[in-house]
Amino acid sequence: MSTYSYSFAGTDTGNRHFFYRVIGYLLLSLSGAQLLTTIVSFSLADKAFWSFLLSACITAVAGSMLVMRSGGVVQLKKRYLFLLTTLCWLTICVFSALPLYLSIPGLSITDAWFETVSAITTTGSTVLSGLDIMPKGVLFWRALLQWIGGIGIIVMAIAILPALKIGGMKLFKTESSDISEKILPRSSSLSAYILLVYLSISVAAALSYAIGGMSWFDAITHAMTSAATGGFANYDASFGNFNDKPWLLWLASLWMTMAALPFVLFVGMAKGDKWALLRDPQVKAFLTVVLAVTLMLTLYQIQHHDRPWQDALTHTLFNVVSVITTCGYASEDYSAWGSMAIVLFFYLTFSGGCSGSTSGGLKIFRTQLAGYLLLKQLNLLIHPNAIWTQKYGSKKVDDALLGAVLAFAFVYFATIAILALVLSMFNLDFVTALTGAATAVSNVGPGLGDIIGPAGNFASLPDGAKWSLTLGMLLGRLEILTMLLLFTPMYWRY
Amino acid sequence: MSTYSYSFAGTDTGNRHFFYRVIGYLLLSLSGAQLLTTIVSFSLADKAFWSFLLSACITAVAGSMLVMRSGGVVQLKKRYLFLLTTLCWLTICVFSALPLYLSIPGLSITDAWFETVSAITTTGSTVLSGLDIMPKGVLFWRALLQWIGGIGIIVMAIAILPALKIGGMKLFKTESSDISEKILPRSSSLSAYILLVYLSISVAAALSYAIGGMSWFDAITHAMTSAATGGFANYDASFGNFNDKPWLLWLASLWMTMAALPFVLFVGMAKGDKWALLRDPQVKAFLTVVLAVTLMLTLYQIQHHDRPWQDALTHTLFNVVSVITTCGYASEDYSAWGSMAIVLFFYLTFSGGCSGSTSGGLKIFRTQLAGYLLLKQLNLLIHPNAIWTQKYGSKKVDDALLGAVLAFAFVYFATIAILALVLSMFNLDFVTALTGAATAVSNVGPGLGDIIGPAGNFASLPDGAKWSLTLGMLLGRLEILTMLLLFTPMYWRY
Ligand SMILES: [K+]
Ligand SMILES: [K+]
């Protein structure tokens, strides 16, 4: 049984009606989110509330028109899922940019688009400054968009990408995984459980932040951007605003880590499989990397910068977790920690967390599988006729899987390389172009260098660079191939 | 029939004797090269000649001792080829560093080692300055080492790596290739023809440089470093010393390009297959990249820097060819051409020329095959059950080949990443660490940034960074896996 309830066949009319219906209902939901923001904005005596109300109306009208045109038949050819997924994200971005454009005086269309795409893809790069005095409604809207983006990622990761077999994601096809077979017979209920995990992390984060000393408004918004590994903060100093309460940094490290682990394993644990997390090869690798890098940089800071070890450990762990989970909060300018830190953070930007979470990037399992391929080849060099068998968790690693993973890794780095070249054409310097491209495609947020580094801001980039970066964010969020396929002639043939 | 005349079986004694014999005769040949340099040095009234004479004696003694101990049996297990290849390169490096250490007053062991490894691996990064007034014998020795390194690369590429099936090199296993089957039945004669190609390029380059206005000494030494895509020049300004004779830059561009094309195709052409070069997929891709990047950067320079087009074209073509062929001459500081140029030169550093030439880097065919894998995956996304067949030239691209190529690409980038991290621990800045690692492993020569850029010098780096870089150069030259395998337990088991 499939996680999506539509059938994979039908006439062109059926396909079109399916598109109208899905996008229509999405817009109606978005309109609901805009209405919620209107209420929050109004109740906080915020002048910007009318722009959310107006946007909610426009979005509702557009959504209703699409739903009304959708007719009764709902059928979709499987191949149109690529187009539908891409169109859903684009439409949501367009209608979500509306309130930002309306509520912030002087904000250009480019900047409204950049901030919105950055929010929904959970990238978290910002062009806004003066966040500390920004209308609360706007801050709530940015956080809510990231949280909604997080839902979109989970739905894609569970329901769509494994079915499309993108980039080795069939490794995580939940229908045939251990947990779903043994404990959760039906995937649709699994999806519900996984969304419940997301909600639980969000609520727990909000409560802990509030208890830890944040205002309720800050607690709720930062909980949303933590759970989504989005990384928007309500302050120009990012999470550094809370440096006087170091326990908040530890709490955030915890929630970001949770949000970057495979959600399905939490469901397994809740159902009684206590060691699901610690048995998982991806989780083991992820936590090992986090601990190793944190240890290296903590020791480096104690030795070279004479920091007290508690202080060094807190900030190192926080920022390492923040970048590897692709959350992108910063507690301070870690690019000032020295050359080794810069190189390590550059690598972490590509890494990403675990598959089946809200984090972006290449994902840990792809690096692991590339390593398996290398081991296989080394073995072949010595034993040319040996049969090499390798398991990843409970699944067999075969050539088809390795091919899918390596092709993804190639297109991932190629996308970053091309985007960096495009950015350099807008006269961005080498480091800004390279790390800007990487941070966009990996949906991390901050880059390196003076301009877009953890202490920087994307506002000063030329418009062309901003549009290019949003394309990179969308490509990264859609696992590149979903979108890339639409630009190939073979997709549109027959 | 195999290209190497030894059998692949034998007792341990046989293996050891084979090692003694090969390395012994290599050292005797090296001693000959040192004697040649002594003569050149002496005839140019150069005080450094005694250091070459002394080195020749030491090397000859060491070589003779090994040959004498080698006994009569010559047998080698195939797996020991990895160890033998690595040991050959290391031994040559040690005995080649001797004359540099003896002849340059005040040169540290580290710097002598760095300069020598950089020479033999045809990397061409230098720690020496004041080249313009350096004893001619030293300059001749540096060039000769690069030329000898070039021979080593060709012998490896033809005789050893395809047999070892490293990194998809079996694609070029000459025994089964079109040309050798049809025209050259025996590979040993093919090897001789290919060395003849190398010699021809060297002689033609020397003649053309001399006719173009270089002194005979400069013509011969630069011909050697062009044919080897080594990149050592006799002047601190590198090839920029000849900027007043722009035709020399065009000639060098020609010879560097020749040296980066698959030599076996020249043999095919000489044997009557006129279109062998232009039919080859690797050559087509290589020339396309060269022309495209040259065009982009020429137009950019005309537009942004107001250069006359002849001047812009000459220097762009020269430097683009120099980096992509991994030769590494510079005619001027191309990192001053703007951000787009820097990003493009960074990419060219990884690219490399064609397989079966003297150039280093990833090699064009590996990028092409990665692209095929991507196409295959995109096709699979639409047609999950389709059979995908792809040819590269006359060979079928199968999963085993793609696996070998992608595993190589992974280990190549991983090696650069680890080396960059190590360099950053010696406090090299981000750009220096990253491009230093890339230029070493790709055997290009210059990096980017103020320190090791085209206008820079490696002398100021800390000793630890220099030793790390030489390891990177050797790894890159030995296609990484040859050397990496020696560090795995499975290589030494049974
Ligand atoms: K983020
Ligand atoms: K070189």
Side-chain angles (χ1 to χ4, degrees):
Chain A
M1 161 131 193
S2 170
T3 50
Y4 20 81
S5 58
Y6 40 86
S7 81
F8 274 144
T11 63
D12 273 358
T13 320
N15 287 322
R16 208 167 58 233
H17 283 183
F18 196 92
F19 273 60
Y20 291 156
R21 172 165 290 214
V22 170
I23 298 177
Y25 279 116
L26 264 182
L27 287 182
L28 289 179
S29 313
L30 185 66
S31 164
Q34 288 166 333
L35 215 55
L36 174 66
T37 312
T38 310
I39 296 166
V40 170
S41 187
F42 187 78
S43 63
L44 293 170
D46 188 337
K47 282 183 206 156
F49 80 91
W50 65 269
S51 55
F52 295 102
L53 188 59
L54 180 58
S55 306
C57 297
I58 296 173
T59 310
V61 169
S64 309
M65 281 172 62
L66 282 174
V67 170
M68 279 189 291
R69 289 198 59 184
S70 71
V73 198
V74 279
Q75 288 173 316
L76 188 70
K77 278 191 194 159
K78 185 170 176 179
R79 58 164 22 191
Y80 287 126
L81 262 181
F82 296 101
L83 182 60
L84 179 60
T85 307
T86 306
L87 282 182
C88 284
W89 284 84
L90 283 176
T91 316
I92 292 278
C93 285
V94 170
F95 283 89
S96 302
L98 215 52
L100 278 185
Y101 182 66
L102 294 173
S103 63
I104 302 177
L107 194 74
S108 69
I109 290 182
T110 300
D111 281 355
W113 175 253
F114 182 93
E115 193 76 7
T116 305
V117 173
S118 174
I120 293 180
T121 59
T122 73
T123 304
S125 305
T126 188
V127 290
L128 300 180
S129 52
L131 291 174
D132 310 47
I133 52 162
M134 191 69 69
K136 290 274 186 288
V138 172
L139 296 178
F140 184 80
W141 181 238
R142 289 164 86 236
L144 184 60
L145 281 183
Q146 293 209 319
W147 198 72
I148 292 171
I151 295 179
I153 296 157
I154 295 168
V155 170
M156 280 212 321
I158 299 168
I160 298 175
L161 295 175
L164 297 181
K165 296 183 183 170
I166 281 192
M169 294 289 284
K170 70 167 179 173
L171 196 60
F172 306 101
K173 213 172 169 176
T174 43
E175 288 91 328
S176 58
S177 80
D178 266 18
I179 291 161
S180 61
E181 272 172 22
K182 288 182 196 157
I183 308 171
L184 295 162
R186 293 179 56 234
S187 309
S188 52
S189 72
L190 180 65
S191 304
Y193 278 114
I194 285 177
L195 285 174
L196 194 63
V197 170
Y198 184 56
L199 196 65
S200 309
I201 294 176
S202 311
V203 171
L207 288 175
S208 74
Y209 288 160
I211 294 168
M214 283 193 197
S215 73
W216 274 105
F217 181 80
D218 277 354
I220 291 169
T221 45
H222 288 92
M224 291 198 283
T225 59
S226 299
T229 62
F232 270 154
N234 294 344
Y235 302 92
D236 288 341
S238 186
F239 217 87
N241 183 67
F242 306 109
N243 281 353
D244 56 335
K245 302 187 181 73
W247 54 88
L248 284 177
L249 276 67
W250 283 87
L251 286 171
S253 304
L254 172 68
W255 302 123
M256 292 189 286
T257 304
M258 297 280 278
L261 297 176
F263 286 6
V264 70
L265 298 179
F266 292 120
V267 179
M269 284 175 77
K271 292 274 168 184
D273 182 5
K274 281 181 196 167
W275 305 106
L277 260 186
L278 293 178
R279 217 176 43 226
D280 188 74
Q282 192 169 210
V283 173
K284 281 190 270 191
F286 173 70
L287 295 180
T288 306
V289 173
V290 169
L291 293 180
V293 177
T294 302
L295 191 68
M296 278 175 76
L297 286 180
T298 304
L299 290 177
Y300 185 87
Q301 286 202 71
I302 293 171
Q303 200 184 340
H304 288 75
H305 300 303
D306 248 347
R307 288 181 87 156
W309 72 266
Q310 301 93 328
D311 187 49
L313 181 61
T314 303
H315 287 281
T316 305
L317 179 70
F318 178 84
N319 289 289
V320 166
V321 166
S322 175
V323 173
I324 197 177
T325 61
T326 73
C327 185
Y329 291 137
S331 71
E332 57 180 62
D333 183 3
Y334 48 74
S335 62
W337 293 354
S339 184
M340 188 177 87
I342 293 176
V343 169
L344 283 171
F345 276 104
F346 181 62
Y347 298 164
L348 291 180
T349 300
F350 294 95
S351 164
C354 301
S355 191
S357 71
T358 56
S359 84
L362 193 56
K363 310 281 189 318
I364 295 284
F365 82 96
R366 295 208 175 91
T367 310
Q368 287 177 287
L369 289 185
Y372 288 160
L373 177 62
L374 177 59
L375 278 181
K376 179 180 170 175
Q377 291 298 324
L378 284 173
N379 192 57
L380 272 179
L381 289 179
I382 303 180
H383 309 294
N385 302 314
I387 306 292
W388 174 265
T389 52
Q390 177 72 50
K391 284 204 148 195
Y392 189 77
S394 60
K395 309 245 177 134
K396 195 167 162 290
V397 175
D398 58 18
D399 278 353
L401 180 65
L402 288 176
V405 165
L406 269 293
F408 182 86
F410 171 70
V411 79
Y412 176 80
F413 285 106
T415 303
I416 291 174
I418 293 169
L419 181 55
L421 180 60
V422 171
L423 293 176
S424 78
M425 291 176 185
F426 293 104
N427 284 320
L428 269 53
D429 67 274
F430 178 68
V431 173
T432 304
L434 195 63
T435 63
T439 202
V441 175
S442 299
N443 303 125
V444 171
L448 290 168
D450 293 337
I451 304 170
I452 60 166
N457 187 291
F458 285 71
S460 66
L461 301 188
D463 280 0
K466 285 176 186 164
W467 285 94
S468 311
L469 284 168
T470 58
L471 181 62
M473 294 173 195
L474 284 165
L475 276 167
R477 197 71 276 180
L478 291 166
E479 304 268 323
I480 301 172
L481 298 178
T482 315
M483 211 162 157
L484 187 63
L485 203 57
L486 306 182
F487 294 99
T488 65
M490 62 179 161
Y491 182 77
W492 300 99
R493 211 177 290 148
Y494 97 96
Chain B
M1 160 128 193
S2 170
T3 50
Y4 22 80
S5 59
Y6 40 85
S7 81
F8 273 145
T11 62
D12 272 359
T13 320
N15 288 322
R16 206 167 60 232
H17 284 183
F18 196 92
F19 273 59
Y20 292 157
R21 173 165 289 213
V22 169
I23 297 177
Y25 278 117
L26 265 182
L27 287 182
L28 289 179
S29 313
L30 184 68
S31 163
Q34 288 166 334
L35 214 54
L36 174 65
T37 312
T38 310
I39 297 167
V40 170
S41 187
F42 187 78
S43 64
L44 292 171
D46 189 336
K47 282 182 208 158
F49 79 92
W50 65 268
S51 56
F52 295 101
L53 187 58
L54 180 58
S55 307
C57 297
I58 296 172
T59 310
V61 169
S64 309
M65 281 171 62
L66 282 174
V67 170
M68 279 188 292
R69 290 198 57 182
S70 71
V73 196
V74 280
Q75 288 172 316
L76 188 70
K77 278 190 194 158
K78 186 170 175 178
R79 58 164 21 190
Y80 287 128
L81 263 181
F82 296 101
L83 182 61
L84 178 62
T85 307
T86 306
L87 281 182
C88 284
W89 284 85
L90 283 177
T91 317
I92 292 277
C93 285
V94 169
F95 284 89
S96 301
L98 216 51
L100 278 185
Y101 181 67
L102 294 173
S103 63
I104 302 178
L107 193 72
S108 68
I109 291 183
T110 301
D111 281 355
W113 175 253
F114 183 93
E115 194 76 6
T116 305
V117 174
S118 174
I120 293 180
T121 58
T122 74
T123 305
S125 305
T126 189
V127 290
L128 302 180
S129 54
L131 291 174
D132 309 47
I133 52 162
M134 192 69 71
K136 289 275 188 288
V138 173
L139 296 177
F140 183 80
W141 181 239
R142 289 164 86 236
L144 185 60
L145 281 184
Q146 293 210 317
W147 198 74
I148 292 171
I151 295 178
I153 297 157
I154 295 168
V155 170
M156 277 212 322
I158 298 168
I160 299 174
L161 295 175
L164 297 182
K165 296 185 182 168
I166 282 193
M169 293 289 284
K170 70 167 181 174
L171 195 61
F172 305 102
K173 213 172 169 177
T174 43
E175 289 90 326
S176 58
S177 80
D178 265 19
I179 290 162
S180 61
E181 274 171 22
K182 287 182 195 157
I183 308 169
L184 293 164
R186 294 182 53 235
S187 308
S188 53
S189 73
L190 179 65
S191 303
Y193 277 113
I194 285 177
L195 285 173
L196 194 64
V197 169
Y198 185 57
L199 196 66
S200 308
I201 294 177
S202 309
V203 171
L207 288 174
S208 74
Y209 287 160
I211 294 168
M214 282 190 196
S215 72
W216 274 105
F217 181 80
D218 277 354
I220 290 169
T221 44
H222 288 92
M224 290 198 283
T225 59
S226 299
T229 62
F232 271 154
N234 294 344
Y235 302 92
D236 288 341
S238 185
F239 218 88
N241 183 65
F242 306 109
N243 281 353
D244 57 333
K245 304 186 180 75
W247 54 88
L248 284 177
L249 275 67
W250 282 87
L251 285 171
S253 303
L254 173 67
W255 301 122
M256 292 189 284
T257 305
M258 298 280 278
L261 296 176
F263 286 6
V264 69
L265 298 178
F266 292 120
V267 180
M269 285 175 77
K271 291 277 167 182
D273 182 4
K274 282 182 196 169
W275 305 106
L277 260 188
L278 294 177
R279 217 177 42 226
D280 187 75
Q282 191 169 212
V283 173
K284 280 190 272 190
F286 174 70
L287 295 179
T288 305
V289 172
V290 168
L291 293 179
V293 176
T294 303
L295 191 68
M296 278 175 76
L297 286 180
T298 304
L299 291 176
Y300 185 88
Q301 287 203 70
I302 293 171
Q303 200 185 341
H304 288 75
H305 301 301
D306 248 349
R307 288 182 88 155
W309 71 266
Q310 301 93 328
D311 187 47
L313 182 60
T314 303
H315 286 282
T316 305
L317 179 70
F318 178 85
N319 289 288
V320 166
V321 167
S322 175
V323 173
I324 196 176
T325 62
T326 72
C327 184
Y329 292 137
S331 71
E332 58 181 60
D333 183 4
Y334 47 75
S335 61
W337 293 355
S339 184
M340 187 176 87
I342 293 175
V343 170
L344 282 172
F345 275 105
F346 180 62
Y347 297 164
L348 291 180
T349 300
F350 296 95
S351 164
C354 301
S355 190
S357 72
T358 56
S359 84
L362 193 56
K363 310 280 187 320
I364 295 283
F365 82 97
R366 295 209 175 91
T367 310
Q368 286 176 287
L369 289 185
Y372 288 160
L373 177 62
L374 177 59
L375 279 180
K376 178 179 169 175
Q377 291 300 324
L378 284 172
N379 192 57
L380 272 179
L381 290 179
I382 304 180
H383 309 294
N385 302 313
I387 305 291
W388 174 265
T389 53
Q390 177 71 49
K391 285 204 147 194
Y392 189 78
S394 60
K395 308 244 177 131
K396 195 166 162 292
V397 175
D398 58 19
D399 279 353
L401 181 65
L402 288 177
V405 165
L406 269 291
F408 182 84
F410 171 70
V411 79
Y412 176 79
F413 284 106
T415 304
I416 292 175
I418 292 169
L419 182 54
L421 180 60
V422 171
L423 293 176
S424 77
M425 291 176 184
F426 292 106
N427 284 319
L428 270 53
D429 67 274
F430 178 68
V431 172
T432 304
L434 195 63
T435 64
T439 202
V441 175
S442 298
N443 303 125
V444 170
L448 290 168
D450 293 338
I451 305 170
I452 60 165
N457 188 292
F458 285 70
S460 67
L461 300 188
D463 280 359
K466 285 177 186 163
W467 285 95
S468 311
L469 283 168
T470 57
L471 180 63
M473 294 173 193
L474 284 165
L475 276 167
R477 197 70 277 179
L478 292 167
E479 304 268 324
I480 301 171
L481 298 179
T482 314
M483 212 162 155
L484 186 63
L485 204 56
L486 306 181
F487 295 99
T488 64
M490 62 178 161
Y491 182 77
W492 300 100
R493 209 175 293 151
Y494 98 96

